[in-house]
Amino acid sequence: METMQANINEQQAESAFTTQSVIFDELYAGNTIIKYKRERVRNHVLQLLSPGNSILELNSGTGEDALFFAQKGFKVHATDLSVGMQNELKRKVALAGMEDQVSTEICSYTQLGQLKNKGPYDQIFSNFAGLNCTNELDKVLTSFNDLLKPGGIVTLVILPKFCLWETLLIFKGKFRTAFRRFFSSDGSKAHIEGVYFKCWYYNPSFIIDQLKDQFCLLGIEGLCTIVPPSYIGGFAEKHPSVYRFLKNKEDQLKGSWPWKFIGDYYIISLKRK
């Protein structure tokens, strides 16, 4: 029954993101905080890569990150369940002339054993909470070992069960948003382009515990812990000096307790033993 429900949720999420795929880049292109988030994640990943490394990207979306890393000289196998996202990615890859650097495959991250291109890879990478769209994250994580080379790296960007900024929205009367992570054991409703699906929240301890036998922790960084989340509309544009101050503080404290645990996201990296 749980597997059936998970499959239904995947289908709903696929439909939502396929519907949004043609406008996805345009929607977020001008958001300063999203640009900050991408820069933070990419810098984190670049510090862990070596020249010539290969990357398996999960929930690759329209290929913004795949193209970035390909242009840096890395080979990327970009996977996604959304047909629309994959079509947009392929269009952008062809436009950039990066077909030799970026390959694509439609595949759910819960079915990585069925990948046609199994690698092995130097890095597995998943950005911006794609993995929060499943209640079978344990199943996803157990598939990583066979897809990585010895010493390979996993870097995931995940939504935790507590976000300081989100909880503070209680003072603006946004009670549902403020408490949605507290009561989400059966999944929290999300919707894109009118299509509803569920997402789940996972603390770093869950990932560490699932991978502890084959992986060792390299580090955790909080993302949008001091800088507000990107859905707080136009904050950076309306308050540029405050935004710069908060950004500098987050850059200083991103790996410190408690900041690395209380952001909108966290970036976690682990190394295969």
Side-chain angles (χ1 to χ4, degrees):
M1 181 63 74
E2 286 186 5
T3 299
M4 183 182 298
Q5 290 174 339
N7 289 339
I8 291 171
N9 194 69
E10 280 196 6
Q11 291 167 12
Q12 291 168 333
E14 190 279 331
S15 175
F17 285 106
T18 289
T19 302
Q20 193 185 59
S21 61
V22 293
I23 59 170
F24 184 87
D25 291 340
E26 183 181 345
L27 278 176
Y28 302 111
N31 191 307
T32 301
I33 293 178
I34 287 181
K35 290 179 181 178
Y36 166 70
K37 291 192 299 185
R38 280 205 185 276
E39 183 179 305
R40 277 278 310 281
V41 173
R42 289 168 176 176
N43 287 341
H44 179 104
V45 173
L46 285 172
Q47 291 174 23
L48 301 171
L49 289 169
S50 298
N53 276 179
S54 59
I55 301 169
L56 171 62
E57 185 178 3
L58 312 180
N59 53 272
S60 55
T62 63
E64 288 291 292
D65 292 316
L67 281 167
F68 172 83
F69 289 115
Q71 287 162 356
K72 294 288 183 182
F74 303 104
K75 292 256 187 183
V76 183
H77 188 55
T79 67
D80 204 295
L81 184 61
S82 166
V83 174
M85 289 291 189
Q86 281 270 294
N87 287 341
E88 184 65 13
L89 188 157
K90 290 176 183 176
R91 183 189 69 80
K92 289 163 67 174
V93 167
L95 193 63
M98 301 297 293
E99 294 95 332
D100 291 340
Q101 292 296 112
V102 180
S103 54
T104 63
E105 187 171 344
I106 295 175
C107 184
S108 167
Y109 42 59
T110 60
Q111 298 177 334
L112 292 175
Q114 299 179 23
L115 266 180
K116 295 176 183 176
N117 189 348
K118 290 183 166 59
Y121 300 91
D122 297 290
Q123 166 123 184
I124 293 175
F125 168 60
S126 173
N127 203 358
F128 291 164
L131 294 179
N132 287 91
C133 293
T134 181
N135 64 341
E136 296 185 322
L137 184 56
D138 54 341
K139 180 179 178 180
V140 180
L141 296 173
T142 56
S143 66
F144 286 174
N145 195 59
D146 293 338
L147 296 167
L148 278 174
K149 298 175 184 177
I153 306 294
V154 172
T155 297
L156 312 175
V157 184
I158 304 288
L159 297 168
K161 291 186 175 183
F162 176 79
C163 168
L164 177 62
W165 272 101
E166 200 164 276
T167 305
L168 291 175
L169 290 175
I170 191 174
F171 295 110
K172 297 190 76 172
K174 297 183 178 181
F175 299 105
R176 179 170 295 190
T177 302
F179 292 119
R180 64 184 171 185
R181 302 194 194 206
F182 292 92
F183 306 105
S184 60
S185 58
D186 293 326
S188 177
K189 277 190 177 181
H191 65 92
I192 291 174
E193 301 299 324
V195 181
Y196 285 82
F197 57 95
K198 286 185 176 182
C199 65
W200 289 261
Y201 301 95
Y202 298 96
N203 287 333
S205 57
F206 178 88
I207 295 169
I208 294 167
D209 186 61
Q210 291 293 319
L211 294 178
K212 63 185 178 183
D213 292 336
Q214 289 122 357
F215 291 79
C216 58
L217 178 67
L218 293 178
I220 302 169
E221 296 179 11
L223 183 59
C224 288
T225 56
I226 301 173
V227 170
S230 53
Y231 56 76
I232 297 182
F235 181 92
E237 291 75 24
K238 294 173 186 174
H239 312 286
S241 59
V242 176
Y243 166 69
R244 285 193 297 270
F245 173 80
L246 296 178
K247 176 179 175 293
N248 289 337
K249 284 297 180 186
E250 179 162 323
D251 290 345
Q252 293 170 18
L253 299 170
K254 61 190 178 186
S256 303
W257 186 92
W259 307 106
K260 61 183 176 180
F261 297 123
I262 62 174
D264 190 28
Y265 305 83
Y266 59 90
I267 310 167
I268 185 168
S269 287
L270 306 98
K271 184 175 183 178
R272 185 184 166 193
K273 295 177 181 176

